[in-house]
Amino acid sequence: PTTSSTNSVSILFTMGRRPARCVRFQKNKPYIKSRFCRGVPDSKIRIYDCGAKKVSVDAFPFVAHLVSGEKEQLTACALEASRVSCNKYLVKNCGREGYHIRTRVHPFHVIRQNKMLSCAGADRLSSGMRHSYGKPMEMAARIAIGQIIVSVRSKDSNAAHVIEALRRAKFKFPGRQAIMKSNKWGFTKFDRDVYVRGRKEGWIKHDGVTVKYMSEHGRITARNCVTHGEGGTSL
């Protein structure tokens, strides 16, 4: 907002949006929204899964991750910008039903700013560093080294497009990130050969976009009764 003074010709205006270097470092303890910290603006990113998010786990074996190389903070605005960039490229090259993007980090940390006037004659109006505890301005996610930021699963034929989409999403973040292809099947925790064997033998059950592991321990029930071997022996 702009206000004009009758005694001065100068125009007073508040400071604009600060660059990422002001908030990218983890300096203090996590500061989350609570009954003590009210008036926090909503996070910019509201959609964490996009694309074909309900497609079966068997349909998308390929998965790649965007992994952080630094301990830092990523604002909700940057997370939303990366999601939009990645989604836009994959829609164009893979189709709306050819991929599944999942943002793996959530912005819970509240960023405070001590808003100050930046104009001619502002030193007579502002209080400087007195009462400098800032007001909530935006949300950020606290990231560790080696933590996955974004994951994308798709078909093996779309592997090159997935890697290119993650490369474009990487430009929205400060610091260093690495794009890694995984040996796992989709968003599961099983390697590809283990997954195929488990699905064939029945001790890995389909469960939406992921799977359930049927343990060999405990009482034998209809739920964990699986078939082993070519003879079809039920255990």
Side-chain angles (χ1 to χ4, degrees):
T2 62
T3 59
S4 61
S5 174
T6 57
N7 299 326
S8 176
V9 184
S10 61
I11 303 298
L12 304 182
F13 58 93
T14 55
M15 185 175 177
R17 190 170 181 274
R18 297 182 183 178
R21 64 175 177 270
C22 298
V23 297
R24 61 173 289 199
F25 301 108
Q26 295 185 23
K27 296 188 294 184
N28 302 316
K29 296 179 181 179
Y31 185 65
I32 63 172
K33 182 179 179 181
S34 66
R35 69 179 189 271
F36 309 110
C37 175
R38 300 180 297 274
V40 178
D42 290 334
S43 172
K44 294 292 185 182
I45 180 170
R46 307 306 293 266
I47 301 172
Y48 293 90
D49 286 83
C50 54
K53 56 187 178 182
K54 293 185 178 180
V55 169
S56 170
V57 63
D58 295 327
F60 291 157
F62 177 81
V63 62
H65 306 291
L66 186 63
V67 182
S68 175
E70 295 188 16
K71 179 182 178 182
E72 60 181 352
Q73 293 179 164
L74 301 179
T75 63
C77 191
L79 292 171
E80 173 68 8
S82 71
R83 184 193 68 84
V84 170
S85 175
C86 186
N87 185 62
K88 186 175 181 180
Y89 182 84
L90 289 176
V91 165
K92 182 178 180 180
N93 293 277
C94 301
R96 293 189 178 275
E97 297 299 320
Y99 65 94
H100 178 193
I101 304 172
R102 175 172 289 176
T103 304
R104 302 280 293 272
V105 295
H106 289 239
F108 292 124
H109 181 70
V110 179
I111 300 295
R112 299 189 307 268
Q113 286 185 13
N114 180 25
K115 299 179 70 173
M116 302 175 67
L117 295 173
S118 57
C119 60
D123 54 340
R124 293 183 288 113
L125 301 173
S126 63
S127 59
M129 288 302 292
R130 287 177 295 182
H131 306 290
S132 61
Y133 195 85
K135 293 184 178 180
M137 294 299 295
E138 57 182 334
M139 306 292 288
R142 294 165 70 92
I143 310 296
I145 296 175
Q147 184 174 352
I148 298 175
I149 303 173
V150 181
S151 296
V152 183
R153 68 184 181 115
S154 183
K155 298 178 181 179
D156 288 325
S157 58
N158 294 331
H161 295 311
V162 170
I163 293 174
E164 173 62 19
L166 289 176
R167 189 189 71 86
R168 296 187 177 206
K170 188 170 66 169
F171 294 139
K172 308 300 179 182
F173 298 132
R176 297 167 297 175
Q177 292 84 31
I179 300 172
M180 296 187 177
K181 294 193 297 183
S182 177
N183 294 326
K184 309 295 183 184
W185 184 289
F187 289 162
T188 69
K189 61 181 181 181
F190 299 102
D191 290 340
R192 289 197 172 203
D193 54 344
V194 176
Y195 178 88
V196 173
R197 181 162 51 88
R199 291 285 284 153
K200 183 182 298 184
E201 296 179 357
W203 47 268
I204 292 180
K205 297 287 187 180
H206 170 269
D207 186 33
V209 300
T210 182
V211 292
K212 286 183 179 179
Y213 171 68
M214 299 291 107
S215 176
E216 298 178 355
H217 301 280
R219 297 170 63 91
I220 298 178
T221 61
R223 179 178 176 274
N224 62 8
C225 182
V226 300
T227 302
H228 288 280
E230 298 180 357
T233 305
S234 181
L235 300 177

